[in-house]
Amino acid sequence: MNDSGLGGAGSFWCLRDHRVESGDDVCPAQYRLGPYATADEATRALETVEKRNAEWDAEDARWTGEAS
């Protein structure tokens, strides 16, 4: 599965396989989120993305004056 030679660079969430991957068993970069320090953090990758997106959307709204 590996196309990057990452070795032990952390844990990733694979969007294609819906699982945590690490070491030499990671899907191609276009399908993964990370690296994360632990497998547990990688498991919560989609929650982390959702939280960050909400924070960035709120900041964008403040920047453009859309926030109340």
Side-chain angles (χ1 to χ4, degrees), residues 17-30:
D17 298 326
H18 306 284
R19 67 178 187 167
V20 173
E21 299 177 341
S22 62
D24 289 331
D25 182 28
V26 294
C27 38
Q30 68 193 41

Side-chain angles (χ1 to χ4, degrees), residues 1 4 6 10 12-13 30 32 47 49:
M1 287 181 122
S4 66
L6 289 170
F12 298 86
W13 179 256
Q30 68 193 41
R32 66 180 179 245
E47 294 171 26
V49 167

Side-chain angles (χ1 to χ4, degrees), residues 8-13 20-23 26 33-43:
S11 296
F12 298 86
W13 179 256
V20 173
E21 299 177 341
S22 62
V26 294
L33 299 174
Y36 294 94
T38 66
D40 189 50
E41 287 179 19
T43 300

